[in-house]
Amino acid sequence: MSHVGIIGTGSYLPEHIMTNDDLSNFLDTSDEWIRTRTGIRERRISTDMTTSDLAYEAGVRALENSGLKSEDIDLIICATITPDYFMPSCACIVQDRLGAINAAAFDLVAACTGMIYGMVTAEQFIKSGMYENVLVIGSETLSKVLDWEDRSSCVLFGDGAGAVVMSKSRDGGKILTSKLESDGSKYNLLTCSAIPLQNPYVNIDNSKEAKIEMLRQPKIKMFGQEVFKYAVRTITDNINYILNKAKLTKEDITYIIPHQANQRIIEQASKSCKIPIDKFFMNLDRYGNTSAASVGIALDELLSSGQLKRKDRIILVGFGGGMTSGSILLEWS
Ligand code: ACO
């Protein structure tokens, strides 16, 4: 059968820009520290839009770009760790707003690897013949789950959404090969808690600590240095694996779009794969780490820049909480 490919992309970033200097107004940090340790200069923070609002805006743009109508979409997958509700899914809210009346819709959690997990899932549905056209969206309002007193984590993240429409490939980027991986033994390296167990059978402990625990808000916690090492290793392993599987060499690759977490992670990965840093697309200086949205936003920006030529090959590679990782090899036609 023909390849599965990307026939449209879109992205949306909230308007409000938060600079490193803005952060240093209320945190013991500095523009110099954040820039040199991460490469991030500023990020977008949503002041009034929810995750589904951002997802909708990115989805509309991807749909317009694909030339399809909302009724043509058979499935909507939304990757997010910051949904508006536990129920309904972000994907169902987007379905309603798009008027995608013929679509099934669900959310998927793979943290910062979410866009890649979503795209590989879509690829399988299209390959199997179950669906023809799938809208995959990565959308996050991470700003609502950041600990704004923890300078080692809150400076890293931002809000945004990226989207792709996938279909049996005509023009656009066709998927040559892909890979997904998880390592649950490292689940505690990067966490964002949900609500604790509470029902009539749970022992009520009236201690102050227990009450604080009951009121606990979800917040991102991270073991930064461990995540750093995991990230460098998995980017390297994924790139090597996917090149091997496709029987290609690194010279055959035009661009690599890594999850936009930290410039130093990407520089280390570039050294360890022995692939020049200028092949790695980066926009994290402007948006920080937008988790599930980052790869979709970066792909949309690369395509809009008009830099891609026919037969260019791109690797998308991500890593994130879970821990999860994954990669996709695309060829442009
Ligand atoms: N401003 C100023 N000082 C800071 C800040 C800050 N924002 N954050 C930490 N520091 C201090 C620390 O308190 C520490 O001070 P101390 O020596 O007095 O104790 C010092 O800087 C060094 O701290 P380290 O944690 O050793 O700094 P490191 O060089 O490892 O950088 C960072 C920290 C940027 C978090 C790094 O570990 C990292 O990038 N890790 C990867 C994490 C990441 O990218 N996570 C998100 C991606 S994961 C995902 O997307 C799923």
Side-chain angles (χ1 to χ4, degrees):
M1 70 156 274
S2 57
H3 284 281
V4 175
I6 295 169
I7 61 164
T9 62
S11 59
Y12 186 81
L13 280 308
E15 276 176 22
H16 184 77
I17 296 173
M18 181 187 229
T19 64
N20 293 342
D21 285 335
D22 292 334
L23 280 160
S24 65
N25 286 335
F26 62 91
L27 264 183
D28 182 13
T29 189
S30 65
D31 175 54
E32 203 265 337
W33 195 96
I34 300 171
R35 263 190 303 104
T36 52
R37 299 287 178 122
T38 73
I40 299 166
R41 292 171 185 274
E42 58 189 42
R43 71 284 294 138
R44 302 296 180 93
I45 300 293
S46 174
T47 53
D48 55 358
M49 293 176 80
T50 66
T51 293
S52 67
D53 292 332
L54 302 181
Y56 167 74
E57 294 295 342
V60 166
R61 286 159 176 74
L63 211 50
E64 276 171 11
N65 189 239
S66 73
L68 296 185
K69 295 192 291 292
S70 47
E71 307 90 76
D72 300 328
I73 297 296
D74 305 304
L75 175 66
I76 300 173
I77 301 173
C78 188
T80 184
I81 54 167
T82 50
D84 304 0
Y85 302 95
F86 283 146
M87 178 181 69
S89 67
C90 178
C92 280
I93 300 172
V94 171
Q95 177 197 13
D96 177 48
R97 292 190 59 192
L98 285 176
I101 48 171
N102 298 313
F106 65 85
D107 284 3
L108 172 155
V109 175
C112 305
T113 325
M115 192 72 195
I116 288 174
Y117 265 69
M119 288 171 65
V120 174
T121 305
E123 180 197 8
Q124 304 313 310
F125 274 116
I126 296 168
K127 262 188 182 169
S128 77
M130 185 162 176
Y131 295 126
E132 212 167 302
N133 304 313
V134 183
L135 172 62
V136 183
I137 307 174
S139 184
E140 305 284 12
T141 45
L142 290 161
S143 56
K144 70 184 179 191
V145 292
L146 294 177
D147 179 348
W148 288 101
E149 291 175 358
D150 176 10
R151 65 180 182 171
S152 66
S153 63
C154 76
V155 304
L156 303 174
F157 297 94
D159 301 334
V164 296
V165 177
M166 295 174 60
S167 193
K168 275 192 195 146
S169 145
R170 290 168 288 207
D171 290 336
K174 61 182 179 187
I175 297 186
L176 299 184
T177 185
S178 57
K179 181 191 190 203
L180 296 180
E181 219 177 40
S182 305
D183 181 358
S185 72
K186 295 187 171 50
Y187 80 91
N188 64 343
L189 291 188
L190 195 49
T191 54
C192 182
S193 57
I195 52 174
L197 189 65
Q198 39 188 307
N199 62 50
Y201 301 100
V202 172
N203 272 336
I204 304 294
D205 174 352
N206 277 323
S207 68
K208 194 171 157 215
E209 290 75 22
K211 283 183 184 146
I212 291 170
E213 177 68 6
M214 294 293 276
L215 294 170
R216 178 165 49 114
Q217 294 284 313
K219 290 278 176 263
I220 287 186
K221 288 203 187 99
M222 180 182 76
F223 292 92
Q225 291 183 0
E226 293 306 309
V227 173
F228 195 106
K229 283 184 243 162
Y230 176 87
V232 174
R233 184 172 54 73
T234 50
I235 294 176
T236 310
D237 289 353
N238 265 277
I239 292 174
N240 290 336
Y241 174 90
I242 216 153
L243 286 176
N244 237 335
K245 198 170 159 196
K247 299 190 174 37
L248 294 173
T249 68
K250 43 196 183 226
E251 286 73 30
D252 297 320
I253 303 301
T254 318
Y255 290 107
I256 294 170
I257 300 185
H259 166 49
Q260 304 286 306
N262 181 323
Q263 188 176 324
R264 284 196 305 145
I265 290 176
I266 297 169
E267 284 167 354
Q268 289 273 337
S270 140
K271 278 191 197 132
S272 124
C273 305
K274 301 192 175 53
I275 297 180
I277 190 70
D278 56 13
K279 286 198 176 186
F280 286 77
F281 182 87
M282 277 190 260
N283 60 12
L284 59 88
D285 56 322
R286 286 173 288 136
Y287 307 136
N289 177 349
T290 55
S291 190
S294 93
V295 168
I297 297 170
L299 181 61
D300 186 46
E301 287 202 346
L302 178 60
L303 290 179
S304 315
S305 71
Q307 290 174 62
L308 281 187
K309 298 183 303 297
R310 206 166 168 271
K311 294 282 172 201
D312 274 354
R313 297 194 187 95
I314 309 168
I315 295 177
L316 313 180
V317 57
F319 57 91
M323 299 299 282
T324 54
S325 67
S327 45
I328 296 175
L329 175 64
L330 291 170
E331 184 177 86
W332 227 251
S333 54

